[in-house]
Amino acid sequence: MSTAIRENVDLQAFNTLGLRARAAHFVELTNEADLAPLLARAKAEAWPVQLLGGGSNIVFAGDVSGLTIRLSLRGIRLISDSQAGAKIVAEDCVIIEAAAGESWHEFTQYTLAQGWAGLENLSLIPGSVGAAPVQNIGAYGVEVADVMHSLRAYDREQGRVVELSAADCGFAYRDSIFKSQQPGRYVILSVRFALSAKRPLVLGYGDIQTALATAGVQEPSAIDVAQAVIRIRQAKLPDPAVLGNAGSFFKNPLVPSAQIEQLQAHFPGLAAYPAQLSTPGWQKVAAGWLIEQAGWKGYRRGSVAVHERQALVLVHHGGGNGAELLALAADIVASVQARYGIHLEQEPVLMGG
Ligand SMILES: Cc1cc2nc3c(=O)[nH]c(=O)nc-3n(C[C@H](O)[C@H](O)[C@H](O)COP(=O)(O)OP(=O)(O)OC[C@H]3O[C@@H](n4cnc5c(N)ncnc54)[C@H](O)[C@@H]3O)c2cc1C
């Protein structure tokens, strides 16, 4: 086995919040064939196994015991191209596969440069391709569930590589079987996407139309949409390279429409909108609005804070730890619950501690 296991490894550079934590055992997986022997070793040593991608959706609550495997598998390949006469999925559709360790943003830009639309609204989301299905990443009206064809994963229960269709993944709003139902069972090795030059663009969310108009674009291409999304995100969200953060710290809560109507009578500004993949009669409420109206925007406590432009984002100014961040998050949850009767659920995954 070429992959070396290191001990007592500093994880600060491996999480975008920049929280301090150490991994008891740590390995960078660059070769798929090394995975099964690594998992066998972890089993023999009774080490719990943690999977790490880009660390942009993780809060380290403390040190991480057992074996942390960082998925660094690389490679992008075209699986099928209907125009080339290969396995036809839909007319003008390509199936393209990326290995788990590829950068998500770079992959989206690569596909767009080839002329394939589908991932433009998901530009500039940090992290790896392998983690994208885990919480069914989404932005500006598009989720991975809308564009994913299938994935390959190592099933730790069966001890073999399996292929899962998008339907097998149990996708829901910021959720999948990998996040809530069977966490840790599957190590995602590569993900396949169905993209097409003729895929209709999704322009109705957020400020996309405004950003396109500002740029003077009248008949946008997928690349124009990606550039608009990138500009909006750069203006709204803190860059983790400059200020530690994990993006949205809370999910937008799903609330029964009847409760929303009652709340809107007291809080006329409360914004609600239909959720993709959700049950009829429920709507999503903007968690950032709830937090901002509860007075938290810009609040700082020691080294952790609520971002001054985006109340949904908790930030770490450096020198702090996961416990401080989680204490602030707990106070925000309690305050929103007391004010609106709505429970906020944390989006990033807890690890260690
Ligand atoms: C500034 C900023 C903006 C963001 N904006 C968005 C957004 O718009 N929409 C959105 O949905 N998210 C957003 N996020 C969250 C984050 O980018 C995504 O959740 C991303 O998919 C996480 O990828 P990662 O590789 O960093 O995963 P990590 O944080 O390393 O891991 C996340 C989870 O996935 C698991 N995991 C990682 N790789 C694998 C694998 N190969 N197989 C199985 N499990 C694995 C981990 O064990 C962990 O449970 C944002 C984050 C930041 C910092």
Side-chain angles (χ1 to χ4, degrees), residues 160-208:
R160 65 185 179 92
V161 175
V162 294
E163 192 171 321
L164 302 181
S165 69
D168 296 331
C169 296
F171 286 129
Y173 167 59
R174 295 300 169 275
D175 201 14
S176 71
I177 57 165
F178 313 110
K179 187 166 183 182
S180 60
Q181 288 164 40
Q182 311 202 41
R185 173 171 171 179
Y186 296 99
V187 182
I188 297 169
L189 302 169
S190 59
V191 189
R192 293 174 181 174
F193 297 88
L195 307 175
S196 162
K198 293 192 176 160
R199 202 181 177 98
L201 300 174
V202 179
L203 303 173
Y205 289 78
D207 302 330
I208 292 185

Side-chain angles (χ1 to χ4, degrees), residues 14 16 50-58 71 100-101 104 122 124-140 174 178-179 186-189 233 237-240 245-248 313 347 349 351:
F14 296 124
T16 58
Q50 307 290 345
L51 304 174
L52 189 62
S56 64
N57 208 31
I58 279 174
L71 277 296
W104 173 260
L122 303 176
L124 212 64
I125 297 181
S128 60
V129 167
V134 173
Q135 75 150 1
N136 181 25
I137 57 168
Y140 301 99
R174 295 300 169 275
F178 313 110
K179 187 166 183 182
Y186 296 99
V187 182
I188 297 169
L189 302 169
R233 292 183 68 101
L237 289 167
D239 177 357
N245 76 92
S248 304
V313 177
E347 188 183 294
V349 178
M351 219 179 258

Side-chain angles (χ1 to χ4, degrees), residues 7-88:
E7 287 182 14
N8 195 25
V9 170
D10 187 350
L11 294 173
Q12 195 166 15
F14 296 124
N15 73 106
T16 58
L17 273 161
L19 295 168
R20 281 192 310 262
R22 301 193 82 81
H25 306 275
F26 179 91
V27 70
E28 190 107 27
L29 185 80
T30 53
N31 181 358
E32 219 179 275
D34 291 340
L35 181 62
L38 272 173
L39 292 170
R41 167 91 191 273
K43 197 169 179 183
E45 304 271 5
W47 290 337
V49 172
Q50 307 290 345
L51 304 174
L52 189 62
S56 64
N57 208 31
I58 279 174
V59 178
F60 286 122
D63 290 341
V64 184
S65 60
L67 178 64
T68 302
I69 304 178
R70 185 161 194 256
L71 277 296
S72 299
L73 305 166
R74 304 302 296 264
I76 295 176
R77 68 187 178 121
L78 189 63
I79 299 286
S80 95
D81 179 346
S82 61
Q83 290 183 337
K87 186 175 133 195
I88 293 178

Side-chain angles (χ1 to χ4, degrees), residues 197-252:
K198 293 192 176 160
R199 202 181 177 98
L201 300 174
V202 179
L203 303 173
Y205 289 78
D207 302 330
I208 292 185
Q209 305 265 24
T210 316
L212 288 168
T214 308
V217 179
Q218 278 165 9
E219 288 185 24
S221 65
I223 289 182
D224 292 326
V225 175
Q227 283 168 355
V229 166
I230 289 169
R231 281 195 300 275
I232 298 167
R233 292 183 68 101
Q234 283 172 336
K236 271 173 66 171
L237 289 167
D239 177 357
V242 178
L243 181 58
N245 76 92
S248 304
F249 203 86
F250 301 100
K251 293 183 184 183
N252 288 322

